[in-house]
Amino acid sequence: MVTAINDDLFSPAVVNDPYTYFSQLRDEDPVHWNEKYELWVVSRYADLVWVTRHPEFFSSEWWKKDPRGPYPEIDESDLGLYQYVREFFSDWFIQHDRPEHTEMRMVVHSYFNPKAMELWRPIVQKAVKSLLDEAEERGSMDAMKDFAIPLPLLVIAQMMGMPNQDRAFIRELAEKLLFLGRGELNRMQPLTDGIKGLLEYLSPIVAERVKNPGEDLLSVLAIGEKKGIYTRDEVLANAVLLLLAGHETTINLICNGTLALIQHPDQLASFREDPTGRTVRATEECLRYDAPVRSIQRIASEDVELGGKMVRKDERLRWFISSANRDPEVFPNPETFDIARYPNPHVAFGSGIHHCLGSTLARLEGQEALRLLVERFPRLNLEVPARDLSYQPSITFRSLKSLPVSWN
Amino acid sequence: MPRKLKITVDTNVCVGNATCEIFAANTFALNEDRQSMVVNPDGDPEEKVLEAAENCPVSAITVADAETGETLFP
Ligand code: HEM
Ligand code: SF4
């Protein structure tokens, strides 16, 4: 019998345990029309890959093109703010199709290539060690606030050549942008405040880098303006994209990975036996098992059949990484956390032409954070009962509110 | 005569990002499943091919000297 499918993707049941919800959806209606939010929900691995590899049918320009209003609905008096937010996000290159996407991405693509990123490993190691030193002195930590957040923030701020003392301020503004994937009626206000604050902060720095470019990532964007590929507004918007994508996601890799290890003591023990040898596969398994990004959106460019359903032009669609990464068609024993899993073709970074630009950096940060954590603290415990842990009510990020741990 | 290259793409790793096609359009092409294929190992100058390999986000491409077998990337 087919049970009714709960279409409230923001309900605590779905937010806290997406895995039970999506395993039902994958079985019963893998390409599901979510009536409540007027949205196709794609849950199988094969369909996710097909969608991401056919950008000609599934456009990334949904902020610009969506003829429907925002979902969940927003306060009517905020429609002006919605317009502002929408125009801002439309400048992100993640929100562009070919040919503009290629041109815009290529400005920064080589900066992130695997060889270039490897040079950051010692910097990341040093930063992880100093965070662990501070934690060890205190005797316990909130792995979210004291470990997972500071590391990626430090790295991306350093890449962009931003002064160290600005980090707390940057984070405060970036947190407002996390309302992106949330459902609150009045979310357009914090989004607008976050955008305006970051633009105000970045404008003078960018103006300076256009005049005097250096080797940093902001300068790479600024050179894109000099070459006529970006307007100034686009430089600023894409600086915000890199800043946000560059830390929020990796935070969740570190935090969710730490939690998965604590909750699977046999896997933690096995990791501890050979941290250096096992870190790569362990990190990949963390990316699969409790993926930092839950889902990503597209909008259909024409009528197209998907999994036996007819998706009509201008209909929106979301593909769920949290679901595809647990698809039994691809992963044997998908609910098992196995740090030696291989092969592990998870889609935590998406797939196709928009495949994560920062994947090498994210992997590197995740590997060093998890490896050094396990080496430092042979015993790791949760400081609160697991049922007290809760997640931000977002359909984009799989983000714990806090993760108190100790090592006694 | 430029030396001959042996270029391989690990299709278990390739995510269809198409970067290789952008850097060396005469060498690589994505097939129907949007997996990269080497369509002509002599399609582009060696530096272009190496640049493509270096910029593949998942390091799916290897390049070697076809005669000596010497690895040129990674
Ligand atoms: C564990 C960490 C991360 C995860 C899980 C993640 C996930 C993703 C996913 C799923 C996409 C695909 C979006 C789409 O198809 O529309 C993406 C794209 C992107 N990511 Fe990441 N990301 C991570 C870290 C990073 C980092 C560290 C950076 C930058 C420093 C970054 C920058 C980007 C950018 C710029 C794009 C857009 C690429 C494009 O449109 O061509 N990400 N990421
Ligand atoms: S650049 Fe790498 S991942 Fe992208 S299509 Fe080419 S081989 Fe595949």
Side-chain angles (χ1 to χ4, degrees):
Chain A
M1 201 199 92
V2 176
T3 38
I5 286 164
N6 166 17
D7 274 346
D8 187 1
L9 297 168
F10 295 88
S11 68
V14 183
V15 164
N16 286 323
D17 179 14
Y19 304 111
T20 304
Y21 177 76
F22 282 109
S23 102
Q24 183 196 354
L25 209 54
R26 259 193 329 263
D27 284 348
E28 292 177 3
D29 199 20
V31 178
H32 171 69
W33 177 248
N34 182 310
E35 197 63 57
K36 189 171 170 67
Y37 300 128
E38 300 184 9
L39 166 79
W40 290 101
V41 172
V42 176
S43 52
R44 280 192 185 157
Y45 184 98
D47 292 332
L48 184 158
V49 170
W50 200 83
V51 167
T52 54
R53 304 251 178 131
H54 289 83
E56 65 279 28
F57 297 137
F58 300 102
S59 167
S60 286
E61 303 183 345
W62 54 267
W63 273 103
K64 186 160 76 199
K65 291 180 179 161
D66 192 354
R68 295 178 166 78
Y71 69 93
E73 58 184 12
I74 55 169
D75 207 296
E76 217 165 286
S77 60
D78 282 357
L79 281 171
L81 297 181
Y82 171 66
Q83 205 47 38
Y84 173 79
V85 166
R86 184 177 185 175
E87 276 168 27
F88 174 81
F89 287 129
S90 299
D91 277 344
W92 281 8
F93 74 78
I94 196 172
Q95 281 282 327
H96 279 267
D97 295 333
R98 286 180 155 184
E100 297 85 18
H101 169 259
T102 307
E103 210 185 19
M104 293 171 92
R105 176 165 167 144
M106 280 304 132
V107 170
V108 282
H109 185 94
S110 296
Y111 182 91
F112 286 97
N113 81 29
K115 207 166 125 188
M117 285 301 106
E118 203 48 43
L119 300 175
W120 284 82
R121 194 178 293 271
I123 298 169
V124 170
Q125 285 168 343
K126 203 171 137 224
V128 174
K129 283 183 183 147
S130 104
L131 290 168
L132 291 176
D133 287 345
E134 287 169 33
E136 197 168 10
E137 226 160 83
R138 281 194 309 271
S140 67
M141 68 173 169
D142 175 358
M144 182 47 115
K145 184 166 72 52
D146 303 324
F147 188 52
I149 293 175
L151 177 71
L153 185 59
L154 176 149
V155 174
I156 194 72
Q158 197 167 333
M159 279 186 172
M160 294 190 148
M162 290 165 180
N164 280 347
Q165 66 269 21
D166 293 356
R167 270 185 255 144
F169 175 69
I170 294 170
R171 176 64 191 162
E172 208 178 292
L173 292 168
E175 265 175 7
K176 297 189 201 265
L177 290 195
L178 300 182
F179 279 88
L180 251 179
R182 294 175 47 164
E184 289 87 341
L185 201 62
N186 56 1
R187 64 191 181 279
M188 289 301 144
Q189 191 61 56
L191 276 171
T192 306
D193 296 345
I195 294 168
K196 289 196 167 151
L198 282 167
L199 290 179
E200 199 176 311
Y201 171 73
L202 285 166
S203 292
I205 309 181
V206 166
E208 171 56 31
R209 302 286 159 89
V210 173
K211 253 192 260 148
N212 280 317
E215 302 276 293
D216 62 280
L217 182 52
L218 270 187
S219 296
V220 174
L221 285 172
I223 292 166
E225 176 183 326
K226 282 193 166 170
K227 287 190 182 151
I229 296 170
Y230 288 124
T231 62
R232 177 65 57 89
D233 281 351
E234 287 170 341
V235 170
L236 289 166
N238 285 287
V240 173
L241 165 64
L242 290 168
L243 189 64
L244 189 74
H247 78 282
E248 184 51 33
T249 47
T250 312
I251 287 172
N252 299 326
L253 164 58
I254 296 171
C255 221
N256 301 350
T258 303
L259 177 62
L261 287 165
I262 293 176
Q263 292 189 318
H264 298 86
D266 59 323
Q267 297 300 304
L268 179 56
S270 146
F271 192 8
R272 199 182 301 119
E273 275 166 29
D274 182 12
T276 307
R278 295 190 179 151
T279 185
V280 169
R281 287 186 190 177
T283 306
E284 295 306 303
E285 181 64 349
C286 293
L287 284 161
R288 182 195 74 86
Y289 182 77
D290 204 12
V293 173
R294 293 171 189 256
S295 70
I296 298 278
Q297 187 160 313
R298 296 287 189 261
I299 187 162
S301 308
E302 52 186 278
D303 294 358
V304 55
E305 201 190 307
L306 181 69
K309 302 284 176 78
M310 194 45 128
V311 177
R312 299 281 171 196
K313 180 175 187 313
D314 287 340
E315 281 176 348
R316 53 197 182 198
L317 165 154
R318 274 193 105 85
W319 34 273
F320 278 79
I321 294 169
S322 315
S323 179
N325 277 359
R326 300 268 187 123
D327 190 335
E329 294 283 326
V330 179
F331 303 98
N333 305 314
E335 311 300 334
T336 305
F337 178 66
D338 172 7
I339 64 154
R341 186 181 288 274
Y342 188 83
N344 189 349
H346 67 75
V347 280
F349 295 114
S351 183
I353 62 169
H354 291 275
H355 178 272
C356 180
L357 176 69
S359 60
T360 311
L361 174 62
R363 287 183 155 120
L364 192 156
E365 292 184 44
Q367 288 160 7
E368 295 304 328
L370 296 171
R371 179 176 69 82
L372 292 166
L373 176 73
V374 165
E375 279 179 1
R376 177 76 64 106
F377 303 129
R379 297 154 62 97
L380 269 177
N381 320 299
L382 267 184
E383 280 286 88
V384 295
R387 62 171 184 281
D388 290 352
L389 295 174
S390 62
Y391 290 86
Q392 303 289 356
S394 167
I395 57 168
T396 302
F397 300 110
R398 172 81 167 156
S399 192
L400 279 161
K401 288 183 180 161
S402 73
L403 182 63
V405 300
S406 63
W407 37 85
N408 298 313
Chain B
M1 260 304 275
R3 60 178 163 180
K4 291 241 176 246
L5 300 177
K6 182 172 184 322
I7 308 165
T8 48
V9 176
D10 183 346
T11 45
N12 291 318
V13 177
C14 170
V15 292
N17 190 243
T19 308
C20 50
E21 221 182 30
I22 296 165
F23 280 89
N26 303 314
T27 308
F28 301 95
L30 265 55
N31 68 12
E32 216 170 75
D33 298 327
R34 309 294 156 97
Q35 291 281 10
S36 174
M37 314 291 280
V38 178
V39 288
N40 176 10
D42 310 314
D44 293 280
E46 185 174 319
E47 0 26 297
K48 287 273 162 220
V49 174
L50 288 173
E51 217 179 345
E54 220 170 77
N55 282 293
C56 168
V58 291
S59 307
I61 303 169
T62 53
V63 187
D65 183 321
E67 242 152 64
T68 66
E70 181 202 350
T71 302
L72 305 173
F73 189 89

